[in-house]
Amino acid sequence: MQVKTVLFIFFIGFMPLFANAPIQSQDTQAIFQTPEAIQPKLSFETDEKKLELIEKAKKNKDWNFFLVVSLDASDEDDFKSALDYNDQAFFIVNQMLDGDENEQRMQETTIAYTLLSRGLILEQMEEYKEAIKAYNELLERFRHPQTIFLQEMVAQSLLNKGVALGKLNKPQEELKIYNEFLQKFQNSRNENIQVMVAQCLLNKGIVFKNMNMLQEELKVYNQLLAKFTTTE
């Protein structure tokens, strides 16, 4: 029985590309909130045309373009290209942290998204140590998230960090992260974060099962049932 990585994709009015299909693999489970709009995939007549548009995007510092092509590459299981494009978007927007309050909020949201995406892509490439570095950077940069979206990005990163530690066969550290997650988020009134809380408790139970700690496993499942049985 395997622990599950959680990925939520949320629609943001000024950034519909977040509604693209998520990165997935056979041993991960993605959870979605239905988006209000779907960004159409980019299509290129030729490889030469694609390279031309990439160079133009670099010149124009078009981080939105690189996020879209990163998601397209992920859809095609081309994770190396997805990582390269995602890093291009991160590099561009990280140099643009200025402007008015709304612009800065959008830029911070994009940085959080690119860091989470980087971690998820690296997990698909089984580069779990590098994935943890991406999650750690997000967690460090947004220790006090000011928006609901950033809170959800922080929650996802912390939960997925635990999963990555499990992939590295570090169950004690994995459990420590899950406990930290629950301490921070178990009383959240955000419905999306509550879904992650349920996933975190399930993950804890699976870890205890794999460690043959059946009494602890049962306690966690009872906690999960007590917290969510009456949830509609």
Side-chain angles (χ1 to χ4, degrees):
M1 197 171 186
Q2 294 179 324
V3 197
K4 303 300 182 182
T5 299
V6 178
L7 169 62
F8 290 78
I9 299 293
F10 302 104
F11 171 73
I12 296 214
F14 55 77
M15 207 177 296
L17 61 93
F18 286 164
N20 275 266
I23 305 157
Q24 300 186 61
S25 71
Q26 292 180 350
D27 62 350
T28 60
Q29 176 178 313
I31 300 177
F32 303 90
Q33 176 165 318
T34 304
E36 298 176 20
I38 298 178
Q39 174 76 23
K41 290 170 65 70
L42 293 178
S43 59
F44 305 97
E45 296 177 1
T46 63
D47 289 341
E48 289 77 11
K49 184 64 176 179
K50 181 177 181 179
L51 291 173
E52 178 185 335
L53 291 175
I54 287 173
E55 290 304 316
K56 182 179 179 181
K58 289 180 181 179
K59 182 178 179 180
N60 294 335
K61 298 182 178 181
D62 186 356
W63 49 266
N64 186 83
F65 172 88
F66 285 109
L67 283 181
V68 173
V69 293
S70 176
L71 289 166
D72 287 349
S74 296
D75 286 344
E76 298 170 358
D77 293 337
D78 183 3
F79 298 117
K80 185 179 184 303
S81 294
L83 185 63
D84 289 342
Y85 296 140
N86 188 78
D87 287 350
Q88 285 279 356
F90 175 83
F91 176 80
I92 292 170
V93 78
N94 201 40
Q95 306 298 313
M96 298 171 59
L97 288 176
D98 52 19
D100 62 27
E101 183 177 350
N102 288 334
E103 288 176 339
Q104 289 184 20
R105 186 181 299 116
M106 182 180 68
Q107 290 160 359
E108 289 178 351
T109 300
T110 306
I111 286 174
Y113 179 78
T114 56
L115 287 170
L116 178 63
S117 294
R118 178 175 175 80
L120 290 163
I121 294 167
L122 287 163
E123 284 198 62
Q124 303 307 311
M125 299 170 71
E126 299 185 353
E127 297 285 348
Y128 301 114
K129 291 182 180 179
E130 293 301 313
I132 289 171
K133 289 181 182 179
Y135 297 141
N136 281 342
E137 183 172 353
L138 189 154
L139 294 168
E140 178 64 25
R141 292 184 73 144
F142 301 100
R143 285 181 291 179
H144 305 290
Q146 299 299 311
T147 67
I148 292 174
F149 187 87
L150 288 177
Q151 290 169 11
E152 291 168 351
M153 293 289 99
V154 168
Q156 289 183 68
S157 292
L158 189 57
L159 183 55
N160 289 349
K161 177 182 174 179
V163 175
L165 286 166
K167 298 287 188 181
L168 293 172
N169 196 28
K170 296 181 177 182
Q172 296 294 347
E173 293 183 41
E174 182 179 7
L175 287 172
K176 182 178 179 181
I177 293 299
Y178 293 152
N179 288 334
E180 179 183 348
F181 177 93
L182 292 171
Q183 183 179 11
K184 289 183 176 181
F185 296 110
Q186 65 180 344
N187 295 321
S188 171
R189 303 179 70 177
N190 181 307
E191 290 185 3
N192 296 318
I193 291 179
Q194 280 300 304
V195 174
M196 293 184 235
V197 169
Q199 184 68 58
C200 183
L201 288 168
L202 180 60
N203 285 1
K204 273 190 72 174
I206 294 170
V207 175
F208 283 131
K209 177 180 177 63
N210 292 338
M211 296 172 69
N212 202 31
M213 299 175 64
L214 302 185
Q215 289 187 341
E216 295 299 321
E217 178 191 4
L218 183 59
K219 287 179 183 178
V220 172
Y221 292 150
N222 283 337
Q223 182 183 355
L224 176 60
L225 292 170
K227 187 171 181 63
F228 293 103
T229 296
T230 58
T231 301
E232 296 181 0

